[in-house]
Structure formats: structure tokens, C-alpha cells
Amino acid sequence: MTAAEKRCELVILETSDTHGHVYPINYGNNKETNSGLAKIASLINQEKQKYKYRLLIDNGDVIQGTPLTYHYAKFLQDQKNPIISILNSLEYDAAIIGNHEFNYGMNLLLDSVMESNFPWLSANIIDRETNKPRFGQPYLIKEFDNGLRIAVLGVTTHYIPNWENPSYIEGLNFEDAFKTTEKWVEYLKENERYDLLVVSYHGGFERDLSSGEPTEALTGENQGYRMCNELEGIDVLLTGHQHRRISKYINGVLVVQPGFHGQTIGKVEIFFEMKEGRWTVVNKSVELLEVDDSTIAEEEVLALAEENEDETQAWLDQPIGEIAGGLLIENAFEVRLKDHPLIEFINRVQMDAAGVEISNTALFNNESPGFAEKVTMRDIVSNYIYPNTLKVIRISGQDIKDALEKCASYFILDENNEIRVNPAFAEPKPQHYNYDMWEGIEYDLKISRPLGSRVVKLNLNGLPMNLLEQYDVVMNNYRAGGGGNFDMFKDKPVIKEIQTDMTELLADYLLKRKTVYQSCNHNWRVIY
């Protein structure tokens, strides 16, 4: 073996949380963006030309998230999945099951796995009947022509049952991601030969990466910090889920997280030398490669989704109905301070579909434009961005009060005693979707009061709500399961399930009525 043959270099490229973005556009207005798989593909192909030895891994949340993927899931499931066709064409080595992979149902997910030319890894999603990983192998060993062997273990945040429609995850157990990683790392050490251990974890970090201070309730949703500090033998930890941009070392573990929507990719370089008959790591580095105006969208990738994209665009431009007066949003923060016609409209659609008199919903995204007077499907999916269904659960007046106190924690007072968003809802991951606004009750949230005592008014039909009484309330399936740490909703009796997606319910409501008139009864407010 020559001196040159005794050295080699490996590149690991990671995508994560692309959420179905292929074309570099914003579907709300069709303006160009620096995002999407077509542009990411350009970066991937450039890097592939530089390295003989390479791994390309998707870390999850790839088949859901845009009108393109939604339209495919609702109308074109009998055809090939355009996202999988793209991943196949780019020759991915593996993908990890993310929590949003389940959003369109198990059948679509299983079809996607079957269509893939690469394995989907998740060691901790277990089939209850077989007690084995549901989606096949928990890890892969990639061996190159020079004998270099790389182990890649896949794990998924186990918090999925707190969010997902139960019928979509029926028959599955979600085992603790940290404990599963610990078990399989030991298994790999004892049973496999490899030169580098990569853990690809669809999850993020529960602590500040510098100080180690907790950054969220220790629910187990994110366990990356613990993995780096308590598990021996991990060389590289690929992460996601939190939509952050991270490239650094934690306790000697090289860590990367490449944002979301295909705006960046993670790049890990590992340098090896042959020592005493085996490849040994002598250096490693990490960086994020960002899409910008100069990044060209790969025509081959665009072509793989072109037919679906054309049908999606035609569907988005379908007129649905009219809203006299419109429901436009000028300032998302102001919407969350007092009742707004858009929020009242969404709540009333939910109440109409469920046949109940109390409802809650969030303004999911600060970029939500609201509705102009003439409404198309594009307007609907631009405002209601998740494939949620609805549930009616029976909860007490005390549960409602506790939920409002949780919502009130969305706000703080700054040094000038002005109301601001609590940084915990903005960093490290924006969680504006975890602030709900209610219809059917009257309430005031007083932010100058201490946390836990900010609900200063809670009435029903003009009278104080009975905290011991039971009430039927409609909300999205994510919240009804306790998602967002709304523990007061967990395991409550489910009175009714409405399995139609909210986007369809909103469209049907307008189609049936043709014209809806703007209204706002000002039933709640946030005060100093």
C-alpha cells in the first residue's frame, strides 16, 4: 500500500426537515426563495464531484409539508411519490423516519419506503407484534472499495404519540431514543466492525449547547445533548427536528443540524489514516453549506416533480368563495393580543364541523397573510399550514383555565413593561403554534401578574365558568393529544373525531356558503 493509499477522506452530507420543498418558491405567492431540494441538489452534486468516498443521508421530515406533497397525498397516491423519486435520483444512502413522515397516514409512508432505493432507519420505532424495528433495519454498514466501513444508526424522537393521529401509528411502540441509542451503540461495538460511528437522530437538543442549561421542559422530545455527553463511541451526531443551524463539537462529538426547507445542508469531513491494519480518524470538521441566489436549481430534479407541480398549482388557483370585508393580517403579534376576525373564522369552522360551542386554534405561522375577499385554495394552505384533523374532547373548566395559563406564558413584560413574546417560544425553535386563542368563552389574560395566575376573567355566556363542570371542546388533533406540553388535555375522553383535514373543512365551509361575512365578537384580550 502506497503512502497515498494509506490516507482517505470521507464526506457526509446531511439534509433534514426539507418538508416536501422541491421548487424554490413560496406557495403563498409563488415568489422565488433560496430553498428546496432542486437547489440543494446542486450543492450535493458539487460536493460529490470532490470526494471519492461519501455518504448522503436524509435525517427525516421529508415527505410532508408543502401543497405539492399535500396534493399528492390527497389525490395522486396511486402514482409514484415525487419526493422519493428525487431522493432516489440523488442516490441517498439512507433516510431516517421523522415525526412528520406519519402525517399523511401509514399507507403513504409504507409505499414511500417500498419505492425507495435506500433503507429507512429507525431503531426505536417498534412493531408491537414482532417486537422489531417496523421499517426494517436499525442501522447500516457502508463499506467502500478501500475497506473503509461506516456504521450509521438511525433513531427518531419518541414523542410522536403526543402529536400524531392514533390511527396513523397504530401497532407501533416508540421506545426512548436515548436508551435505544445506548443499546444499539453497545450492540455495534460488540457485533460489527466499523471505522466510524454516525448516529442520525431525528431530534434535537434539550440544553443550551454552551452552558448545558435546560432550554425546554425535559419531556424527552429532544435528547441530543445527553447523547453527546453520556454515550461513549459516537463520532458524529446528525440531528434535526428543531430546524436549527448547528455545526460544532459537543464533548468531542461532531454535531450538525442543517436548518429546514432545504436552505442548507450539513457537511462533515472525516480524514483517515491506515494505522496497524485499520482506518483511524485523524481529523474531522463540520460546516453548513447554504443555498443562495447563485445556487442553480437542478433541472433534473425539477422535472421529476413537474407534473405534480403543475397539477398542484392549478389546484391552488381554484376559487373557493368570498369573505365580505376580508380577513387580512397586518401584524401577527397584534393578532395574538386580542380577538381577530381570522381566528374567529377558523374557530367557527371548527365549531360548525364538530357541533360544539367551544373551540381553540393557533395562528400557526408569523407569515400567515390572512384572507382577502376572494379566496382560493392557495390562500387556505398559506394560512393553515399543517394537515391537522379535529377532535372533540371532554375537559373541565379547570382544564380550560390551566390551558389559558399555559397560553399566557407566551408573553412576558420587557424592561419598559411592554408586552413581548416570551423568548422560550422563539428560541431555539419558533413555537408560535403553541399559543391558542379560544372562541365560545370570554377571557382576559393579565401579563403583569405572575405565571400561573394570569387568567383574571373566565366566563361562559356572561357568567363565571364553573371549573368543576365538564365541557366539550373542539381542537386540532395535535393539541388534543397534549402536543405542545398541554398536559391537561392528555388522555381525556374523545367525544368525536373529524377525520377531514382542516384545509378541506375550511374550503368546504366557503364552498357551501359562497360568501361569508367578516365578524369579530371581541370575546378575549391580553392586557397589561
Side-chain angles (χ1 to χ4, degrees):
M1 182 178 285
T2 66
E5 291 172 333
K6 290 181 179 180
R7 294 188 298 272
C8 72
E9 186 178 358
L10 170 76
V11 66
I12 303 170
L13 302 175
E14 180 205 10
T15 54
S16 190
D17 299 276
T18 51
H19 287 286
H21 285 256
V22 177
Y23 281 68
I25 57 170
N26 178 334
Y27 280 97
N29 51 30
N30 270 347
K31 291 184 178 179
E32 289 191 19
T33 61
N34 285 321
S35 63
L37 283 167
K39 282 204 167 189
I40 283 292
S42 182
L43 298 183
I44 290 172
N45 289 333
Q46 289 172 25
E47 293 302 311
K48 280 184 174 181
Q49 293 175 10
K50 300 177 185 178
Y51 300 89
K52 179 178 180 181
Y53 304 111
R54 54 190 186 249
L55 275 172
L56 177 57
I57 298 172
D58 185 83
N59 192 59
D61 284 3
V62 64
I63 64 173
Q64 171 277 343
T66 57
L68 173 70
T69 58
Y70 179 85
H71 183 266
Y72 168 79
K74 299 301 293 184
F75 305 111
L76 302 172
Q77 274 200 46
D78 58 333
Q79 300 180 17
K80 283 188 175 183
N81 190 324
I83 303 299
I84 301 302
S85 296
I86 291 167
L87 299 185
N88 284 340
S89 73
L90 292 172
E91 298 180 327
Y92 272 74
D93 292 287
I96 311 304
I97 300 289
N99 52 295
H100 284 286
E101 257 65 71
F102 295 96
N103 283 176
Y104 298 142
M106 182 62 79
N107 287 340
L108 187 145
L109 174 53
L110 291 176
D111 286 346
S112 299
V113 172
M114 289 293 293
E115 289 177 26
S116 300
N117 295 338
F118 50 85
W120 287 77
L121 309 177
S122 186
N124 64 315
I125 301 179
I126 305 300
D127 187 294
R128 288 179 191 161
E129 290 188 4
T130 66
N131 202 34
K132 295 179 180 179
R134 177 64 180 87
F135 299 98
Q137 59 201 78
Y139 66 90
L140 69 83
I141 302 291
K142 174 90 174 197
E143 182 169 5
F144 296 94
D145 60 9
N146 64 347
L148 179 68
R149 289 170 63 88
I150 311 299
V152 181
L153 173 67
V155 286
T156 305
T157 176
H158 59 258
Y159 215 59
I160 291 172
N162 292 282
W163 309 314
E164 191 51 78
N165 186 325
S167 65
Y168 291 173
I169 56 174
E170 190 174 355
L172 299 178
N173 287 332
F174 294 83
E175 297 186 347
D176 184 276
F178 175 85
K179 292 179 181 177
T180 300
T181 302
E182 182 178 39
K183 179 182 76 173
W184 282 100
V185 166
E186 290 305 311
Y187 176 89
L188 287 164
K189 288 178 181 177
E190 295 173 6
N191 295 277
E192 293 283 2
R193 182 179 65 80
Y194 56 88
D195 303 299
L196 188 83
L197 176 55
V198 178
V199 173
S200 190
Y201 168 45
H202 188 81
F205 297 91
E206 71 280 27
R207 294 181 179 272
D208 182 271
L209 301 185
S210 299
S211 69
E213 291 297 314
T215 54
E216 60 180 48
L218 298 181
T219 60
E221 176 182 347
N222 299 295
Q223 299 172 299
Y225 190 87
R226 190 179 176 199
M227 289 179 183
C228 290
N229 283 280
E230 297 183 30
L231 299 182
E232 294 290 335
I234 300 174
D235 297 297
V236 178
L237 182 66
L238 308 179
T239 65
H241 185 55
Q242 291 176 316
H243 295 191
R244 298 166 68 181
R245 295 187 180 188
I246 299 170
S247 56
K248 65 180 302 176
Y249 285 88
I250 301 177
N251 192 33
V253 180
L254 194 153
V255 170
V256 63
Q257 188 172 141
F260 63 103
H261 293 178
Q263 298 172 0
T264 61
I265 61 173
K267 176 184 176 182
V268 175
E269 283 184 293
I270 310 290
F271 299 88
F272 296 89
E273 285 186 5
M274 180 64 71
K275 295 182 179 180
E276 298 180 357
R278 65 169 299 167
W279 290 107
T280 302
V281 176
V282 293
N283 196 14
K284 53 186 177 181
S285 64
V286 61
E287 63 179 313
L288 296 175
L289 305 179
E290 186 170 0
V291 167
D292 59 27
D293 291 339
S294 68
T295 310
I296 298 171
E298 291 281 0
E299 290 296 332
E300 290 183 8
V301 171
L302 296 175
L304 288 170
E306 184 176 14
E307 185 175 342
N308 296 84
E309 176 72 8
D310 290 345
E311 292 189 38
T312 300
Q313 290 289 350
W315 173 70
L316 288 172
D317 287 331
Q318 290 179 10
I320 301 298
E322 296 187 9
I323 298 177
L327 304 173
L328 292 173
I329 292 177
E330 295 182 3
N331 184 304
F333 180 73
E334 294 292 330
V335 171
R336 298 187 179 99
L337 290 178
K338 60 183 179 180
D339 194 20
H340 186 277
L342 174 68
I343 301 303
E344 183 163 309
F345 171 70
I346 295 172
N347 271 319
R348 291 201 178 281
V349 171
Q350 293 187 173
M351 293 156 73
D352 178 76
V356 299
E357 298 182 352
I358 304 177
S359 170
N360 67 48
T361 189
L363 180 67
F364 299 105
N365 191 312
N366 280 350
E367 283 70 53
S368 293
F371 295 137
E373 292 205 354
K374 294 188 181 298
V375 181
T376 66
M377 277 304 303
R378 189 182 305 280
D379 299 314
I380 290 176
V381 301
S382 297
N383 286 282
Y384 207 104
I385 60 176
Y386 296 111
N388 290 334
T389 56
L390 299 178
K391 284 188 178 182
V392 176
I393 60 174
R394 184 160 292 165
I395 57 178
S396 69
Q398 184 64 55
D399 292 327
I400 292 174
K401 186 173 186 292
D402 291 344
L404 289 172
E405 291 288 0
K406 169 75 175 171
C407 291
S409 71
Y410 179 79
F411 300 104
I412 60 168
L413 294 179
D414 65 14
E415 62 275 9
N416 299 316
N417 281 328
E418 294 183 356
I419 298 174
R420 295 285 183 265
V421 175
N422 185 338
F425 284 80
E427 298 291 341
K429 176 184 178 180
Q431 297 183 52
H432 304 295
Y433 52 81
N434 280 331
Y435 172 75
D436 294 330
M437 294 156 280
W438 293 62
E439 189 64 35
I441 58 175
E442 305 97 45
Y443 63 94
D444 289 346
L445 306 179
K446 190 175 178 65
I447 307 307
S448 59
R449 292 178 62 86
L451 289 172
S453 61
R454 290 178 166 181
V455 179
V456 295
K457 171 185 172 183
L458 178 55
N459 290 350
L460 178 66
N461 299 323
L463 298 173
M465 176 171 272
N466 185 339
L467 299 185
L468 300 179
E469 188 67 46
Q470 298 290 308
Y471 302 94
D472 291 349
V473 180
V474 60
M475 60 190 75
N476 67 62
N477 61 292
Y478 170 79
R479 185 70 77 239
N485 299 321
F486 282 75
D487 294 338
M488 71 290 299
F489 297 151
K490 280 186 178 180
D491 303 319
K492 292 301 168 71
V494 177
I495 306 306
K496 185 185 297 184
E497 294 189 52
I498 298 94
Q499 292 292 349
T500 305
D501 289 351
M502 265 301 292
T503 49
E504 289 185 52
L505 292 174
L506 289 163
D508 289 346
Y509 189 89
L510 283 166
L511 284 166
K512 185 185 298 184
R513 290 161 178 79
K514 304 300 182 187
T515 301
V516 171
Y517 294 88
Q518 180 198 99
S519 67
C520 187
N521 60 12
H522 306 288
N523 64 301
W524 65 270
R525 59 182 181 162
V526 175
I527 57 178
Y528 169 78

